Amino acid sequence: LTASYYHIVNHSATAVGAELTHSFSSNENSLTFGTQHTLDPLTVVKARFNNSGKASALLQHEWRPKSVWTISAEVDTKAIDKSSKVGIAVALKP
């Protein structure tokens, strides 16, 4: 079961959201807060944080129509001694 809320803060440049999820099989709840900001019409920055201590960020830029590159990172703030995750992706569409 999932409930979510999404709110545009200022004329499509910045938005915030929250998601609450309940898993009946494990009887666990998850709460995630996130935000996104449009730097320009082709570049978006996103960040999120959840109740299990994971924080992540993403930078996405459309360099050609329908073709984007993405850089993302995730860190577990409750296990800071473990290494974080970093990713780079390129999506090309004709």
Side-chain angles (χ1 to χ4, degrees):
L1 180 64
T2 301
S4 61
Y5 177 74
Y6 183 79
H7 181 76
I8 297 173
V9 177
N10 59 357
H11 306 292
S12 75
T14 304
V16 295
E19 180 181 84
L20 178 62
T21 303
H22 176 74
S23 173
F24 289 102
S25 61
S26 63
N27 200 26
E28 292 181 359
N29 296 318
S30 172
L31 179 62
T32 304
F33 293 102
T35 185
Q36 78 175 30
H37 181 71
T38 303
L39 297 176
D40 59 48
L42 303 174
T43 309
V44 176
V45 176
K46 296 181 181 182
R48 70 179 176 187
F49 186 80
N50 69 12
N51 65 316
S52 64
K54 292 193 178 180
S56 59
L58 174 137
L59 173 65
Q60 190 172 57
H61 179 71
E62 183 176 354
W63 55 281
R64 289 184 40 185
K66 298 183 182 180
S67 296
V68 298
W69 60 263
T70 305
I71 299 173
S72 62
E74 180 182 86
V75 63
D76 188 351
T77 61
K78 292 185 178 180
I80 223 58
D81 56 328
K82 294 183 181 177
S83 61
S84 57
K85 298 176 184 177
V86 177
I88 299 172
V90 176
L92 304 172
K93 294 189 181 180

